[in-house]
Amino acid sequence: MSGGDFQFGDRVSIVGGQGHRGIVHHNHAAPQRTLEEQLGEVVQLALALRGDVPDDTDRASIDHALPALGADEPPARRRSLMALAAIAATVGAVGEPLLGSVKAALELLGR
């Protein structure tokens, strides 16, 4: 492949006229998940990660953290989410999906 003109994104040329508004994009944000939906995802990912965690203590910590996520007590939920985030961060790349999900849940919990 040689030469060529590659264009990524918008290219606009306006010559003359009046009342131009420029480019109008109608990009809508994805709908926000509820806290309960996000916590459900956290539970699923934590259970999936549990099988990949080699340490019995970490597996026990996951088991201990999960029931508190169903409680309607924000401080208990926050502690459990922080415990799960710590475990997810220590196991490396395999824990990244859980870590991202926990961050999203903490963000929703903070509202």
Side-chain angles (χ1 to χ4, degrees), residues 5-25:
D5 182 20
F6 298 98
Q7 173 65 37
F8 298 97
D10 300 323
R11 180 185 293 185
V12 178
S13 298
I14 298 175
V15 180
Q18 57 184 335
H20 299 291
R21 295 187 179 265
I23 301 173
V24 178
H25 293 281

Side-chain angles (χ1 to χ4, degrees), residues 56-105:
D56 289 338
T57 304
D58 288 342
R59 280 195 297 275
S61 296
I62 291 172
D63 292 342
H64 182 72
L66 293 179
L69 296 179
D72 193 19
E73 300 174 31
R77 281 181 170 174
R78 182 173 298 281
R79 282 190 302 273
S80 293
L81 288 168
M82 295 304 289
L84 291 172
I87 294 166
T90 59
V91 296
V94 72
E96 287 179 12
L98 175 59
L99 187 57
S101 187
V102 165
K103 286 180 182 179

Side-chain angles (χ1 to χ4, degrees), residues 21-42:
R21 295 187 179 265
I23 301 173
V24 178
H25 293 281
H26 296 286
N27 299 329
H28 301 285
Q32 285 289 330
R33 299 179 90 174
T34 66
L35 178 59
E36 286 71 26
E37 291 171 336
Q38 190 63 44
L39 289 174
E41 180 179 290
V42 168

